[in-house]
Amino acid sequence: MAEPKATTKPRVVCCVGDIHGYIAKLQNLWSNLENAVGSSDFQTALIIFLGDYCDRGPNTKEVIDFLISLPSKYPNQSHVFLCGNHELAFAAFLGLLPSPPDGSGFSETWKEYEMNEEREGWYKGEGYEKMHLQGRRWAGTVTGLNQAKYKGSVNNAGPTFESYGVPHGSADLMKAVPDEHKKFLASLVWVHEEDNVGIETEEGLQNCKLIAVHAGLEKGKGVEEQLRYLKAKDTKISKVAALSGSKNVWNIPEELENTGTIVISGHHGKVHIEDFRLIIDSGGGLENNPIAAIVLPSKKLVLDTDQLGV
């Protein structure tokens, strides 16, 4: 349950929505966040990145370099890097996912969706035999879909390959991605829980538990069960709804509705701020859309296009 009032000044928490390979937008958003929060509070803030750092935009490599640099540049901040559905697929292609806990092979993840293999043009190059479904989809070449719209694959992965200097779908990416980037991708968490997060409500400032997950938590499934498989990174699952779902993860699960638990996500290509359900993705990976972050406890929305500090 949320506490009705915070007795001490709550720590600033900044939750950053989908970036999708746009380094200039990320740099501008970061500067705007510091201006919006104030330098002192920003230096000690908790920064939660909500996933989807790669694909669509042209600068995935530079975006990951920026994210990797933050802990040394801002040693008094805390940083959480969530895994989005795009990073899961990127990591799957590079062979960075943990093995399924039940001992099955990654080829077992293909079966549920094999009717889509030809239309989505799943990757069949070097190493595909032992690759998770999402890696094959990510590096594949669409055939029955609008190729210009999808930038190579259903994940719009072409620009990510190109940012590392290799053509889309090339196995050379496995060698081109630096070890530091591979370590970063392997370390991404599927869910993050944080206690005592302040949030402004109609009843005033409350201290709440926060659950951050890229797309959301599924309705109709137990929250503890979902948290368990997300914490374990259960890769026997072909398509992880909490990272890639839509309507089925939009709302807060019923069992959390009256608990004062904040559930925050990106992913959906929209900004939705309603009570304790926060969805922060104004960009959707589109070139002309801004990217966004939300600051807690104030619930102030900050965009990369804001003219702050000018």
Side-chain angles (χ1 to χ4, degrees):
M1 294 292 289
E3 297 177 9
K5 283 192 175 182
T7 54
T8 59
K9 180 182 176 183
R11 182 184 194 184
V12 169
V13 179
C14 304
C15 298
V16 180
D18 299 28
I19 300 163
H20 278 302
Y22 288 101
I23 186 61
K25 293 183 186 182
L26 175 57
Q27 290 166 335
N28 289 339
L29 180 65
W30 190 256
S31 177
N32 284 345
L33 272 174
E34 181 163 12
N35 281 312
V37 170
S39 182
S40 178
D41 283 341
F42 188 67
Q43 294 295 328
T44 58
L46 167 62
I47 315 289
I48 301 175
F49 290 89
L50 297 172
D52 279 5
Y53 317 118
C54 65
D55 299 342
R56 298 185 180 161
N59 315 118
T60 287
K61 183 175 185 291
E62 292 85 351
V63 166
I64 294 179
D65 280 334
F66 182 97
L67 298 176
I68 289 172
S69 75
L70 292 178
S72 59
K73 288 182 178 178
Y74 296 85
N76 295 319
Q77 285 181 347
S78 299
H79 305 95
V80 174
F81 301 102
L82 288 182
C83 185
N85 55 312
H86 288 257
E87 287 76 49
L88 186 147
F90 188 3
F93 181 74
L94 297 177
L96 302 175
L97 297 182
S99 300
D102 63 357
S104 61
F106 283 132
S107 60
E108 291 295 310
T109 64
W110 309 347
K111 294 180 179 179
E112 186 178 354
Y113 296 98
E114 59 190 359
M115 75 291 292
N116 298 328
E117 180 173 0
E118 183 176 349
R119 182 174 65 97
E120 295 180 350
W122 294 359
Y123 173 80
K124 290 184 179 179
E126 180 184 334
Y128 90 91
E129 300 92 343
K130 296 182 179 181
M131 190 175 289
H132 190 281
L133 167 68
Q134 298 305 327
R136 294 193 64 199
R137 294 178 76 240
W138 184 78
T141 302
V142 293
T143 55
L145 299 166
N146 182 326
Q147 292 194 31
K149 175 184 176 183
Y150 284 96
K151 298 183 181 178
S153 75
V154 290
N155 291 97
N156 313 110
T160 295
F161 281 82
E162 292 161 13
S163 79
Y164 288 97
V166 300
H168 172 67
S170 171
D172 290 342
L173 184 68
M174 299 175 188
K175 296 177 182 177
V177 174
D179 287 345
E180 192 177 25
H181 288 208
K182 291 177 180 177
K183 183 179 178 181
F184 173 79
L185 290 165
S187 72
L188 300 177
V189 296
W190 289 13
V191 68
H192 177 74
E193 296 176 274
E194 188 77 26
D195 291 325
N196 299 315
V197 173
I199 186 170
E200 292 287 356
T201 70
E202 292 180 357
E203 289 76 37
L205 183 62
Q206 297 189 24
N207 274 331
C208 299
K209 179 178 180 177
L210 178 144
I211 299 174
V213 58
H214 179 63
L217 295 174
E218 289 183 85
K219 62 181 180 182
K221 290 191 176 180
V223 171
E224 286 304 317
E225 174 194 350
Q226 294 184 66
L227 294 176
R228 186 163 53 249
Y229 87 72
L230 290 168
K231 290 175 184 176
K233 298 185 180 181
D234 190 342
T235 58
K236 74 175 181 293
I237 302 169
S238 300
K239 185 177 182 182
V240 181
L243 304 190
S244 60
S246 53
K247 292 180 180 178
N248 59 328
V249 296
W250 179 267
N251 294 316
I252 286 183
E254 286 185 10
E255 69 180 273
L256 293 180
E257 279 183 356
N258 298 310
T259 64
T261 301
I262 304 163
V263 179
I264 187 162
S265 305
H267 180 67
H268 294 276
K270 297 178 181 179
V271 171
H272 176 78
I273 300 171
E274 182 180 358
D275 298 327
F276 295 100
R277 179 59 171 137
L278 309 176
I279 296 172
I280 311 299
D281 179 20
S282 63
L286 299 178
E287 182 178 0
N288 294 324
N289 287 359
I291 63 172
I294 194 169
V295 179
L296 299 176
S298 67
K299 294 198 286 190
K300 178 179 177 62
L301 192 70
V302 179
L303 305 178
D304 71 286
T305 52
D306 291 341
Q307 299 297 308
L308 302 179
V310 176

